[in-house]
Amino acid sequence: MRRIDLTPRSDWKSKAEAVGFTWHHADGMRYWDERAAYAFTLEEVGGHIEPATETLHKLCLDLVDDAAGSDALMARLQIPEASRDLVAASWKRRDPSLYGRFDFFYDGEGPPKLYEYNADTPTSVFEAGVFQWLWLEDLIARGELPDSTDQFNSVHDRLAERFKEIFPNGGFVHFASDADFVEDRQTVRFLEDMATLAGLEPKFVPLKDIGLDADGRFVDQDNYIIGAIFKLHPWEEMLREPYAANIAGSKTLFLEPPWKAVLSNKALLPLLWERHPGHPNLLETYFDDDPKVERLGNNYARKPLFSREGANVELYKDGRKGRVLDLGYGEEGWIRQELKPPPKFGANYPVIGSWVIGDQPAGMGVREDRSRVTRDRSRFVPHIIEG
């Protein structure tokens, strides 16, 4: 694994916008960054990252199975009591999952280590599945990379296949997000395109426009019943909304399904460690109120259960806390994880995002930052597999 400097294409912005990648900058800061790429060997990807993704996916599903039969585990996961039957029933039906993203420490030397699992509403799927592949094809065509150069990336094709697996007879599927947040809307637009490739008829509905009819069914802005919906909105928030009581009786198929509430918060991490202590793909992790946190000493990462994009993550080195992006998370509880900063390449700290679609590893993306905590403005840097 190495970081290589490259010259950006002079027309990369127009190419990005031509395919709908309009959030290549955020608040004037570069998000897509092709001034560099991370180069991997086939062994690093096929022998380390891909099998770690497959292994951890199976461990996570085993944990969901445990939680579905345990009120104590549901409570530890901060799933509201009124919604625990909903979550358990979703798993017992094996409601289908579309995708998720594991975030790994990886330095090319040892096994990947799980930082967290974005199991419910992961973004960066378009840039991982489409734009970095178009970048690779372009550089090969220009002679700037050898023809033998590859990428760990079947995200686009697997998403279309997965929609077909979930809806083998086609049909009508709603897609929902915040219509005013560009990245979310364009991410959902991409997934609508994948559904169309699978023979489905997608329809977008803004989250704020979803309502209930007299029979307790969710309906869209035109009062059409929502029979199936992909929602870019996290379960930890949905289960705390006034409409949560209507979810079970709505007969709606949700992507992601309610059982993803077990995996989409960081309580997952100490529960996995408790079941698989010493596992090569896990970091030592405990709940904040567990006396065993003392084993971590003065070096650890303290994380709220529900935070996203690095918010309120506290890094302690020799007992001293680093800078924190405070967005108010933490009332739901905390975990402490072994301190394992990303490897440093120059001034940059990369984190590997490894995608699982259905039950299969499907590709990866690299986010880097000059901070040791990956945040929403951290840059997306393409990767290659050297031939």
Side-chain angles (χ1 to χ4, degrees):
M1 177 183 177
R2 63 195 185 100
R3 188 181 191 273
I4 55 177
D5 292 326
L6 296 170
T7 301
R9 296 166 294 169
S10 60
D11 57 351
W12 74 265
K13 289 183 186 178
S14 61
K15 285 181 176 291
E17 290 169 8
V19 294
F21 186 16
T22 57
W23 63 100
H24 49 71
H25 282 71
D27 298 330
M29 304 293 290
R30 189 187 300 258
Y31 169 63
W32 168 264
D33 193 352
E34 60 181 67
R35 295 173 297 179
Y38 282 88
F40 297 83
T41 67
L42 185 59
E43 172 59 25
E44 287 171 336
V45 174
H48 293 170
I49 295 169
E50 193 170 0
T53 303
E54 187 172 12
T55 295
L56 288 168
H57 177 65
K58 291 176 180 175
L59 296 186
C60 286
L61 295 186
D62 288 343
L63 178 59
V64 178
D65 198 50
D66 287 349
S70 169
D71 195 63
L73 276 178
M74 292 272 197
R76 205 60 166 130
L77 289 153
Q78 295 298 314
I79 295 172
E81 186 173 359
S83 297
R84 292 172 193 170
D85 287 345
L86 167 73
V87 172
S90 170
W91 173 250
K92 290 170 184 175
R93 290 191 304 266
R94 295 303 192 269
D95 288 350
S97 166
L98 182 63
Y99 72 149
R101 190 191 77 233
F102 291 102
D103 286 348
F104 289 147
F105 165 92
Y106 185 65
D107 61 2
E109 299 296 328
K113 302 282 189 179
L114 179 63
Y115 281 134
E116 59 188 69
Y117 186 17
N118 295 275
D120 185 18
T121 58
T123 53
S124 78
V125 64
F126 176 85
E127 45 271 50
V130 175
F131 199 64
Q132 71 167 339
W133 181 257
L134 295 176
W135 164 87
L136 175 63
E137 289 186 322
D138 206 4
L139 264 62
I140 291 174
R142 295 175 185 221
E144 297 178 28
L145 288 174
D147 290 346
S148 59
T149 309
D150 203 354
Q151 200 172 79
F152 179 31
N153 195 349
S154 61
V155 171
H156 180 281
D157 292 344
R158 274 297 299 142
L159 279 171
E161 291 168 5
R162 184 58 180 158
F163 273 115
K164 185 67 175 178
E165 291 165 1
I166 296 172
F167 303 102
N169 300 316
F172 189 75
V173 180
H174 282 84
F175 288 78
S177 73
D178 180 342
D180 298 321
F181 186 52
V182 173
E183 181 181 355
D184 283 8
R185 179 65 190 99
Q186 292 297 90
T187 296
V188 169
R189 198 184 302 275
F190 166 60
L191 294 172
E192 291 174 49
D193 290 343
M194 297 301 95
T196 300
L197 289 176
L200 301 176
E201 184 179 350
K203 182 182 181 184
F204 180 73
V205 53
L207 286 167
K208 66 181 179 59
D209 290 342
I210 297 175
L212 281 167
D213 69 9
D215 297 323
R217 303 291 300 272
F218 289 112
V219 293
D220 68 13
Q221 65 271 48
D222 300 313
N223 286 322
Y224 286 105
I225 289 175
I226 298 175
I229 188 170
F230 173 89
K231 63 5 166 241
L232 201 64
H233 192 53
W235 276 110
E236 66 262 23
E237 294 183 20
M238 292 176 62
L239 297 180
R240 288 163 173 80
E241 295 283 359
Y243 59 73
N246 302 101
I247 293 174
S250 69
K251 302 179 183 177
T252 300
L253 174 68
F254 289 93
L255 295 174
E256 292 297 307
W259 60 261
K260 279 295 190 80
V262 173
L263 304 180
S264 62
N265 74 72
K266 295 176 187 64
L268 163 75
L269 302 168
L271 292 174
L272 284 176
W273 182 259
E274 179 181 284
R275 284 157 177 73
H276 310 282
H279 192 284
N281 298 127
L282 297 175
L283 293 170
E284 186 174 4
T285 312
Y286 304 101
F287 286 102
D288 204 43
D289 59 2
D290 187 334
K292 291 192 289 292
V293 297
E294 298 302 324
R295 297 178 183 178
L296 300 178
N298 294 322
N299 300 298
Y300 56 88
R302 186 170 182 257
K303 302 179 179 182
L305 300 190
F306 294 153
S307 76
R308 293 172 179 269
E309 302 285 4
N312 292 93
V313 171
E314 303 172 355
L315 300 186
Y316 287 84
K317 176 69 173 175
D318 298 327
R320 297 181 63 184
K321 183 169 70 172
R323 294 178 62 184
V324 175
L325 174 64
D326 187 358
L327 295 182
Y329 293 100
E331 289 185 9
E332 68 277 9
W334 298 76
I335 60 106
R336 292 193 201 183
Q337 186 180 63
E338 170 190 347
L339 186 64
K340 189 79 169 175
K344 193 173 185 181
F345 290 80
N348 304 290
Y349 295 94
V351 169
I352 307 300
S354 186
W355 294 91
V356 56
I357 297 176
D359 293 313
Q360 298 179 20
M364 71 180 186
V366 182
R367 301 279 300 279
E368 70 172 18
D369 205 298
R370 297 197 170 211
S371 164
R372 292 177 296 166
V373 178
T374 304
R375 300 193 169 105
D376 62 343
R377 296 299 183 257
S378 298
R379 298 177 303 280
F380 189 104
V381 180
H383 79 275
I384 61 172
I385 300 174
E386 295 184 295

